[in-house]
């Protein structure tokens, strides 16, 4: 049971993504809902999904059941959850598309880098601290933006996450340039 729970929490986060999106279609039939309650419910679902990110990592480290699946699937689940939330926020003109484009491109690039590292040397790149800060600020910004952006906390966190998106992307590539020396 202990060995599987962190990975099951990661999978739960992935399964919560469609639920998060469907919430916007429920209040008004096939059109996107604009009610305050829709945004609050979406924020709660997103917050619960985000909490599973912390919990699966905590349990995996506490029980010493860190797995290659977890090292790969956990950041992928985070990327999927956050990118979907940012696409929703762009659709409602809450965040600028240029910033979300930077986030999406970085996420795809780092995922590609992870795949190259696994393919070339069997190395599974775990998340580094700048990437963890990026993920935390992404998740917190989304929650605050969905609950109405009190005191512009969501906006401030969003631009902090854009900074850490760029910085952590650079950090991952700078530390792993050797993968490109062996690329065909």
């Amino acid at each position: 049971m202990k060995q599987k729970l962190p990975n099951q929490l990661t999978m739960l986060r992935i399964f919560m993504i469609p639920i998060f999106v469907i919430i916007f279609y429920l209040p008004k039939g096939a059109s996107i809902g604009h009610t305050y309650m829709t945004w609050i419910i979406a924020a709660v679902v997103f917050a619960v999904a985000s909490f599973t990110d912390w919990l699966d990592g905590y349990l995996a480290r506490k029980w010493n059941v860190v797995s290659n699946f977890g090292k790969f699937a956990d950041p992928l689940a985070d990327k999927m959850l956050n990118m979907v939330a940012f696409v929703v926020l762009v659709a409602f003109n809450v965040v600028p598309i240029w910033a979300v484009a930077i986030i999406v491109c970085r996420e795809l690039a780092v995922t590609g880098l992870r795949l190259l590292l696994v393919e070339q040397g069997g190395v599974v790149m775990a998340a580094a601290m700048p990437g963890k800060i990026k993920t935390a600020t992404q998740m917190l910004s989304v929650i605050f933006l969905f609950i109405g952006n009190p005191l512009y906390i969501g906006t401030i966190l969003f631009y902090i996450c854009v900074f850490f998106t760029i910085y952590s992307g650079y950090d991952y590539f700078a530390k792993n340039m050797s993968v490109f020396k062996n690329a065909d």
Side-chain angles (χ1 to χ4, degrees):
M1 176 71 174
K2 279 185 178 182
Q3 292 82 6
K4 294 182 181 181
L5 186 57
N7 291 339
Q8 289 170 338
L9 288 168
T10 297
M11 294 306 298
L12 174 63
R13 186 162 59 260
I14 292 170
F15 289 125
M16 290 180 81
I17 295 168
I19 295 167
F20 172 78
V21 173
I22 289 168
I23 289 168
F24 287 96
Y25 289 92
L26 293 178
K28 296 185 179 183
S31 66
I32 294 177
H34 293 275
T35 67
Y36 180 70
M37 189 52 69
T38 301
W39 286 82
I40 296 299
I41 293 169
V44 169
V45 170
F46 184 88
V48 169
S50 297
F51 178 71
T52 67
D53 176 42
W54 174 83
L55 186 58
D56 67 23
Y58 171 78
L59 293 175
R61 287 184 297 276
K62 180 180 177 180
W63 295 337
N64 197 28
V65 292
V66 175
S67 67
N68 281 341
F69 174 82
K71 287 182 197 175
F72 181 77
D74 179 67
L76 186 61
D78 299 339
K79 291 173 191 330
M80 292 165 48
L81 177 65
N82 286 317
M83 287 193 284
V84 166
F86 286 134
V87 167
V88 169
L89 290 168
V90 165
F92 285 101
N93 296 313
V94 176
V95 295
I97 195 167
W98 66 264
V100 172
I102 289 171
I103 292 169
V104 169
C105 288
R106 180 265 186 214
E107 302 297 13
L108 293 172
V110 169
T111 299
L113 177 61
R114 288 177 190 276
L115 293 172
L116 280 174
L117 287 167
V118 168
E119 180 183 300
Q120 288 190 5
V123 175
V124 178
M125 182 175 69
M129 188 52 68
K132 290 180 180 187
I133 294 170
K134 179 240 1 145
T135 299
T137 55
Q138 282 180 345
M139 290 176 172
L140 288 171
S141 72
V142 167
I143 293 167
F144 278 101
L145 290 168
F146 270 83
I147 64 169
N149 199 14
L151 302 173
Y152 299 100
I153 294 170
T155 301
I156 293 165
L157 287 169
F158 177 75
Y159 286 106
I160 291 171
C161 95
V162 171
F163 170 80
F164 275 99
T165 294
I166 295 166
Y167 176 75
S168 64
Y170 168 79
D171 186 54
Y172 284 127
F173 277 89
K175 290 178 178 174
N176 294 286
M177 288 304 292
S178 62
V179 75
F180 298 106
K181 293 177 183 170
N182 301 329
D184 292 332

